[in-house]
């Protein structure tokens, strides 16, 4: 387990966000237990794992509407905040992470950093290169209707899958 | 202000207290509590705040250069930048974009800057449908209402009201009741509207010049949808939102949610570098995979000046541009907690910093109506993540407003009584309170006649009508013998030869003329500790005129105080102050009124009375002669708001604790009396509403049988009025001669 993963797990627990640790061999089975049908996703930019066949990885506006689960990669996990950094991609990772009731974020244990500053320092070059990311912490929420409600415009539930792997960074 | 105007203002405030007060109070107190808890988790909170401020200072300093850099970056990325001089200019550009895109519908993510432009009206006049997608903002749009809070625009609306509103407007098939049902209804409806929209419009919390990224801090996800679903994105932002680099975002990301709603971080912090790579969600091509699309997104960044360049050049308003619109100043403001932004706000902006924004973008007059709601309590100062001296901005604007009105009608009556430096025509009420020191001197010299006169019903009616002193308030009773006279006649009880230390006890107006008891107690306590005391002739601190926005008068008084004390400071005598609002002048406000060196010398050598006692005890002083708790009741202690801002309340509790007292301390931001504020006819109801939060706390089972102790004179008066229990100053409690008041 990465050095910051324990803290990451604890903050996610505080946020009421379930987190599951797995390794490349157990990845597909782990996703199966978490995802609700139908599931859509965008290709994971990791060497060790990829989306299983039962996940539709060619999302369209129509499947975006009908999917219950959206699975996307997170490039960074931030231990202090329980945040995942979700890069936007031409294949629609931004939408896939936002429209479904359940968002499953897949992050590699090695990409978990201790704090916000480290994460932002990493994002500098990516953004200057034209990239866009969402720092997402827990589900979408609002208190505008008189009480805290999860799932305002985005997902009601978030599940973080941490992949334990010795992969080199390959995004 | 005429008595008719005062009555109208009082009515309006009372109406808001009744209709919106409860919802505003519950929400702002929740946010504020959340802030305390959330920042307590940050080890380096103060460092982060300083860092955030430094970044803003530098960014505003370099603003023209950053605008150029950002423009080049965005254009290189493939977007367009338009620098708009004012609202009309911005709206014209946005209308052109809408026309070009043949837009029927614009979906908007909440943006105060776009409220400033009133862009919805401008677009709707062109036949473009504009839909707010933030749920709170949408509720207001449906209700045809205005935001009452920078961050949570609809906090003044209760769930029940929203349910009624939706039922009336949309006649839903199933009745909507719970927050969950209301949210899901709104989500579905807005989801459809977003998908069919032609343009998405967002604001920006920050923009990075190096990458051209738009940072949006939200929890709902509507900003994300607004930015990436339609093929055209228009971002509207004031030029002050630019920071140099992505790395500069770090302290703000950690501070903004905590400062505003008390969340460690909001659900989403979007860092979008438009035109974003995300594909368009085109409902007309539902089965085309996103990956197969080749979208050319259109991005327009509309940077708004609208007075900001002038604010940058204005030495007093410049700090307003550091504001990150987090709402901490509103949530921590006792008056805002009671009435919300519909009273405490102008055309667009609400809360403490609203005065600066309104004066800057809409003109000084747009702050006139609500500027007096800032009582200068300073509780927002520590709450502000970029350390803006918000009360000072309010004072400056008040001063400017004072100088605008000039009808000079009563000048001839008043000139003898008001030895101030202000222009003729200044509001009589302000002039009276601003010259309270003179009034107290005359009142004391003519006591008891002055007290008798002031208690007569016809006199009180006249006072209410002419200067707006509310008849329901008990007026302070002037003492025939002042503290200084008492001390001159009595003389010091500690010989210079025996004295461990020598201090100057500052005879503030209230202690000298009204509450001489606490002054005498202070002298006795200090002498018991072996301190030789002097009570010299030093004039008013300037607090009274300062709080009325009479800066020139305050300035003159500050100079006189410094002149009178300089020799004592030179001789190594400490200046000990009983009244926290006067100490706060020496420690804080004099920075704006005195030369830097003078300010620093007085600041570094002046002490709160209990802070001083604490210091003597810490340095081995013998507490033997002081009054200890014995078998007396416990203490319900209310520290003064300005004292708490300076972090000095802990010395009082430490001293009381040391002497064996059981202390419960209040946790409200301010008692609501705030010097003259609570006496004013137009604010009486508000003042007591704020005070009730404190009174309620002291009526709780663990506090209701305790002795009420307060550090400030106005706090004592407010508590006395609301609780029907006399309040005393902490120095009186430990005075060897102190007797518990009759229960």
């Amino acid at each position: 387990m990465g050095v910051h993963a324990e803290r990451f797990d604890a903050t996610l627990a505080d946020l009421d966000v379930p987190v599951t640790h797995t390794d490349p061999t157990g990845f597909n089975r782990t996703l199966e237990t978490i995802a609700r049908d139908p599931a859509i996703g965008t290709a994971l930019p990791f060497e060790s794992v990829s989306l299983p066949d039962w996940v539709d990885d060619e999302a369209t506006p129509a499947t975006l509407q009908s999917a219950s689960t959206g699975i996307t990669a997170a490039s960074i996990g931030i231990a202090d905040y329980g945040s995942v950094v979700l890069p936007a991609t031409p294949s629609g990772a931004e939408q896939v992470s936002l429209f479904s009731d359940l968002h499953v974020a897949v992050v590699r244990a090695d990409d978990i950093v201790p704090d916000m500053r480290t994460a932002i320092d990493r994002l500098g070059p990516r953004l200057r290169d034209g990239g866009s990311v969402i720092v997402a912490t827990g589900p979408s929420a609002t208190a505008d209707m008189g009480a805290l409600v999860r799932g305002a415009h985005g997902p009601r539930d978030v599940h973080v899958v941490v992949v334990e792997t010795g992969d080199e960074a390959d995004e | 202000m005429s008595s008719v105007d005062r009555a109208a203002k009082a009515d309006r405030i009372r109406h808001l207290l009744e209709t919106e007060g409860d919802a505003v109070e519950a929400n702002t107190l929740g946010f504020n509590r959340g802030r305390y808890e959330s920042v307590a988790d940050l080890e380096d909170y103060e460092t982060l705040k300083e860092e955030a401020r430094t970044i803003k200072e530098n960014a505003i300093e370099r603003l023209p250069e950053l605008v150029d850099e950002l423009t080049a970056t965005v254009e290189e990325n493939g977007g367009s930048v338009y620098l708009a001089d004012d609202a009309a200019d911005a709206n014209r550009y946005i209308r052109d974009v809408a026309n070009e895109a043949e837009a029927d519908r614009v979906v908007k993510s909440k943006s105060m800057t776009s409220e400033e432009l009133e862009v919805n009206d401008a677009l709707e006049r062109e036949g473009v449908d504009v839909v707010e997608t933030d749920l709170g903002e949408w509720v207001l749009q449906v209700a045809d209402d205005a935001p009452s809070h920078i961050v949570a625009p609809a906090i003044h609306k209760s769930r029940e009201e929203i349910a009624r509103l939706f039922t009336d407007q949309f006649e839903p098939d199933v009745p909507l009741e719970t927050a969950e049902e209301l949210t899901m209804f709104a989500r579905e409806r807005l989801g459809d509207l977003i998908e069919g929209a032609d343009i998405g419009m967002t604001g920006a919390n920050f923009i990075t010049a190096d990458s051209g990224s738009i940072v949006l801090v939200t929890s709902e996800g509507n900003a994300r949808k607004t930015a990436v679903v339609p093929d055209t994105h228009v971002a509207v932002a004031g030029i002050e939102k630019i920071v140099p680099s992505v790395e500069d975002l770090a302290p703000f990301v950690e501070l903004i949610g905590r400062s505003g709603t008390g969340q460690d971080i909001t659900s989403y912090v979007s860092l979008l570098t438009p035109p974003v790579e995300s594909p368009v969600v085109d409902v007309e091509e539902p089965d085309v995979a996103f990956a197969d699309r080749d979208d050319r997104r259109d991005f327009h960044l509309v940077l708004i000046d609208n007075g900001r360049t002038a604010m940058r050049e204005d030495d007093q308003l410049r700090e307003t541009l550091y504001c990150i619109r987090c709402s901490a100043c509103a949530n921590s403001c006792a008056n805002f907690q009671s009435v919300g932004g519909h009273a405490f706000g102008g055309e667009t902006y609400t809360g403490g910093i609203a005065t600066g924004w309104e004066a800057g973008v809409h003109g000084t007059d747009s702050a006139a109506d609500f500027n007096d709601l800032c009582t200068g309590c300073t509780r927002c100062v520590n709450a502000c993540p970029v350390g803006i001296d918000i009360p000072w901005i309010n004072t400056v604007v008040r001063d400017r407003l004072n100088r605008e009105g000039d009808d000079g009608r009563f000048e001839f009556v008043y000139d003898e009584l008001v030895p101030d430096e202000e222009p003729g025509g200044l509001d009589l009420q302000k002039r009276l309170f601003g010259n309270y020191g003179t009034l107290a001197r005359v009142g004391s010299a003519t006591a008891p006649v002055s007290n008798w006169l002031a208690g007569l019903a016809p006199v009180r009616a006249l006072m209410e009508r002419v200067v707006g002193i509310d008849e329901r308030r008990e007026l302070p009773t002037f003492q025939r013998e002042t503290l200084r006279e008492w001390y001159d006649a009595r003389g010091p009880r500690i010989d210079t030869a025996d004295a461990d230390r020598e201090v100057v006890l500052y005879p503030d107006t209230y202690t000298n003329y009204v509450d001489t008891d606490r002054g005498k107690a202070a002298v006795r306590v200090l002498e018991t500790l072996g301190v030789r005391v002097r009570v010299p002739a030093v004039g008013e601190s300037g607090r009274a005129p300062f709080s009325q926005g009479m800066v020139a008068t305050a300035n003159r008084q500050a100079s006189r105080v410094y002149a009178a004390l300089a020799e004592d400071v030179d001789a190594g005598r400490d200046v000990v102050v009983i009244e926290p609002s006067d100490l706060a002048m020496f420690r804080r406000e004099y920075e704006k009124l005195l030369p830097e060196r003078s300010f620093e010398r007085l600041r570094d050598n002046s002490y709160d009375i209990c802070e001083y006692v604490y210091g003597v005890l810490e340095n081995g002083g013998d507490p033997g002669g002081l009054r200890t708790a014995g078998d007396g009741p416990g203490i319900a202690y209310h520290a003064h708001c300005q004292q708490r801002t300076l972090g000095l309340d802990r010395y009082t509790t430490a001293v009381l604790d040391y002497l064996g007292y059981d202390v419960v301390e209040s946790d409200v931001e301010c008692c609501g009396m705030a010097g003259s504020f609570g006496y004013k006819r137009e604010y009486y109801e508000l003042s007591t509403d704020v005070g009730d939060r404190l009174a309620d706390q002291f009526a709780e089972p663990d506090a209701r049988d305790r002795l009420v102790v307060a550090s400030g004179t106005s706090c004592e008066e407010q508590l006395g009025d609301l609780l029907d229990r006399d309040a005393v100053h902490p120095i009186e409690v430990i005075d060897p001669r102190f007797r518990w008041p009759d229960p």
Side-chain angles (χ1 to χ4, degrees), chain A residues 9-165:
Chain A
D9 287 2
T11 11
L12 284 168
D14 286 344
L15 293 166
D16 237 354
V17 172
V19 52
T20 306
H21 289 256
T22 184
D23 57 23
T25 49
F27 181 70
N28 286 5
R29 266 202 53 75
T30 302
L31 271 192
E32 238 171 279
T33 59
I34 295 166
R36 304 168 200 153
D37 265 350
I40 56 173
T42 48
L44 305 175
F46 307 139
E47 272 180 18
S48 54
V49 290
S50 51
L51 289 178
D53 297 343
W54 51 268
V55 178
D56 176 0
D57 63 356
E58 289 190 340
T60 66
T63 57
L64 202 60
Q65 296 299 347
S66 55
S68 297
T69 305
I71 305 169
T72 70
S75 59
I76 304 174
I78 306 170
D80 274 355
Y81 285 88
S83 310
V84 286
V85 175
L86 310 173
T89 66
S91 56
E94 161 68 332
Q95 286 88 346
V96 169
S97 70
L98 185 63
F99 275 69
S100 306
D101 259 0
L102 168 66
H103 173 229
V104 178
V106 182
V107 63
R108 293 179 309 182
D110 292 346
D111 290 329
I112 299 171
V113 300
D115 50 32
M116 188 58 71
R117 194 165 297 258
T118 312
I120 293 204
D121 283 348
R122 272 202 201 181
L123 292 175
R126 187 185 167 90
L127 265 56
R128 279 186 284 274
D129 206 27
S132 297
V133 299
I134 310 296
V135 180
T137 313
S140 152
T142 185
D144 283 346
M145 300 292 169
L148 185 70
V149 177
R150 287 172 148 223
H153 284 272
R156 264 172 224 268
D157 295 303
V158 172
H159 197 124
V160 176
V161 174
V162 178
V163 185
E164 310 283 351
T165 154

Side-chain angles (χ1 to χ4, degrees), chain B residues 190 335 339 357 408 454 535 586 605 706:
Chain B
L190 287 170
N335 282 342
V339 291
W357 282 120
V535 187
F586 296 178
N605 290 289
R706 290 167 179 262

Side-chain angles (χ1 to χ4, degrees), chain B residues 171-364:
Chain B
E171 299 173 357
D173 302 336
V174 242
L176 302 170
E177 198 182 311
T178 64
E180 173 88 21
E181 287 162 358
L182 292 165
T183 301
M184 290 311 139
F185 176 81
R187 174 191 170 128
E188 201 160 313
R189 217 181 157 87
L190 287 170
D192 291 345
L193 290 168
I194 294 170
E195 273 153 41
D198 305 293
I199 295 177
M201 192 186 296
T202 68
N205 292 85
F206 306 95
I207 312 175
T208 50
D210 62 342
S211 68
S213 306
I214 307 295
V215 183
L216 296 163
V217 179
T218 72
S219 276
E220 294 184 1
N222 62 310
R224 296 171 62 187
K225 277 189 178 163
T226 302
V228 302
V229 170
D231 64 2
T232 303
H233 177 193
V234 178
V236 179
I239 48 174
E240 82 287 359
K241 300 283 183 70
I242 308 172
V243 294
S245 73
V246 175
E247 286 76 5
D248 289 322
L249 296 171
F252 299 107
V253 171
E254 298 214 65
L255 288 169
I256 192 166
R258 297 176 197 267
S259 303
T261 52
Q263 297 163 276
D264 293 352
I265 190 169
T266 59
S267 300
Y268 304 121
V269 178
S270 301
L271 301 121
L272 306 175
T273 310
V276 292
E277 294 170 294
S278 295
V280 172
V281 181
D282 187 348
V283 281
E284 279 161 27
E285 297 181 328
D287 298 319
V288 177
F290 288 126
D292 297 337
R293 297 185 64 93
D294 186 18
D295 289 314
R296 258 187 52 87
R297 284 180 164 279
D298 209 8
F299 174 65
H300 299 265
L301 173 60
V302 185
L303 289 172
I304 317 290
D305 189 310
N306 207 29
R308 287 162 174 80
T309 298
M311 288 165 82
R312 181 173 171 269
E313 285 155 12
D314 182 325
D315 284 344
Q316 311 304 339
L317 289 187
R318 183 182 308 119
E319 281 200 18
T320 307
L321 298 172
Y322 305 164
C323 170
I324 60 168
R325 318 285 218 286
C326 71
S327 80
C329 57
N331 300 334
S332 61
C333 173
N335 282 342
F336 191 95
Q337 289 166 359
S338 279
V339 291
H342 286 162
F344 205 142
E347 289 180 40
T348 308
Y349 295 97
T350 59
I353 196 65
T355 290
W357 282 120
E358 290 292 323
V361 304
H362 297 304
T364 319

Side-chain angles (χ1 to χ4, degrees), chain B residues 136-198:
Chain B
E137 194 73 40
W138 186 59
V139 165
L140 297 183
Q141 194 180 26
V142 172
D144 196 21
D145 196 354
S148 64
H149 188 270
I150 296 183
V151 169
I155 54 163
H156 59 287
K157 289 226 177 298
S158 66
R159 177 175 57 82
E160 292 78 6
E161 271 177 88
I162 298 170
R164 270 197 302 277
L165 175 72
F166 282 10
T167 307
D168 290 351
Q169 291 285 324
F170 305 113
E171 299 173 357
D173 302 336
V174 242
L176 302 170
E177 198 182 311
T178 64
E180 173 88 21
E181 287 162 358
L182 292 165
T183 301
M184 290 311 139
F185 176 81
R187 174 191 170 128
E188 201 160 313
R189 217 181 157 87
L190 287 170
D192 291 345
L193 290 168
I194 294 170
E195 273 153 41
D198 305 293

Side-chain angles (χ1 to χ4, degrees), chain B residues 42 44 46 60 117 182 196-197 244-245 288 297 318 398 428 537 554 606 677 714:
Chain B
L42 279 176
D44 46 359
E46 293 303 323
I60 297 303
L117 305 179
L182 292 165
S245 73
V288 177
R297 284 180 164 279
R318 183 182 308 119
R398 193 169 301 168
L428 290 185
S606 56
F677 185 79
S714 23

Side-chain angles (χ1 to χ4, degrees), chain B residues 259-532:
Chain B
S259 303
T261 52
Q263 297 163 276
D264 293 352
I265 190 169
T266 59
S267 300
Y268 304 121
V269 178
S270 301
L271 301 121
L272 306 175
T273 310
V276 292
E277 294 170 294
S278 295
V280 172
V281 181
D282 187 348
V283 281
E284 279 161 27
E285 297 181 328
D287 298 319
V288 177
F290 288 126
D292 297 337
R293 297 185 64 93
D294 186 18
D295 289 314
R296 258 187 52 87
R297 284 180 164 279
D298 209 8
F299 174 65
H300 299 265
L301 173 60
V302 185
L303 289 172
I304 317 290
D305 189 310
N306 207 29
R308 287 162 174 80
T309 298
M311 288 165 82
R312 181 173 171 269
E313 285 155 12
D314 182 325
D315 284 344
Q316 311 304 339
L317 289 187
R318 183 182 308 119
E319 281 200 18
T320 307
L321 298 172
Y322 305 164
C323 170
I324 60 168
R325 318 285 218 286
C326 71
S327 80
C329 57
N331 300 334
S332 61
C333 173
N335 282 342
F336 191 95
Q337 289 166 359
S338 279
V339 291
H342 286 162
F344 205 142
E347 289 180 40
T348 308
Y349 295 97
T350 59
I353 196 65
T355 290
W357 282 120
E358 290 292 323
V361 304
H362 297 304
T364 319
D365 280 346
S366 65
D369 222 24
F370 68 95
N371 171 265
D372 281 350
L373 288 176
C374 171
T375 62
C377 87
T378 67
R379 295 303 294 150
C380 56
V381 172
N382 294 356
C384 176
V386 283
I388 301 175
D389 192 344
I390 295 162
W392 171 247
I393 291 171
N394 278 286
T395 302
V396 167
V397 171
R398 193 169 301 168
D399 186 70
R400 291 179 186 176
L401 285 164
N402 285 345
R403 280 157 203 285
E404 279 178 3
D406 186 0
D407 59 10
R409 277 180 307 152
F410 284 92
E411 234 174 301
F412 61 96
V413 188
Y414 249 51
D415 272 358
E416 291 301 310
L417 252 177
V418 289
D420 60 33
E421 312 275 295
E422 307 304 320
L426 172 65
D427 184 272
L428 290 185
Q429 186 191 59
K430 291 194 168 172
R431 190 150 246 183
L432 175 82
F433 285 118
N435 286 283
Y436 183 71
T438 307
L439 188 74
R441 194 175 66 237
V442 174
S444 165
T446 57
V449 175
S450 55
N451 294 322
W452 168 73
L453 203 59
L456 293 178
V459 176
R460 288 306 303 267
L462 189 71
M463 285 166 93
E464 177 164 305
R465 196 163 53 77
V466 180
V467 281
I469 297 178
D470 200 284
E471 279 194 77
R472 288 162 287 190
R473 282 284 183 199
E474 205 173 306
L475 294 178
T477 309
F478 298 117
Q479 302 297 319
R480 189 78 182 94
E481 184 188 49
T482 66
L483 175 71
R484 286 200 55 248
E485 287 163 357
W486 168 82
Y487 190 78
D488 283 349
R490 170 189 179 268
R493 294 285 160 88
I494 302 279
D495 285 341
T496 315
D498 301 334
D500 300 326
R501 299 170 180 82
E502 192 173 30
V503 301
V504 172
L505 185 69
Y506 173 68
D508 68 86
T509 302
Y510 200 86
T511 307
N512 196 39
Y513 296 111
V514 180
D515 192 357
T516 50
D517 281 352
R518 66 177 190 176
K520 295 172 189 172
V523 170
R524 285 191 292 262
V525 166
L526 290 167
E527 288 180 346
T528 303
L529 292 167
V531 179
R532 186 178 160 92

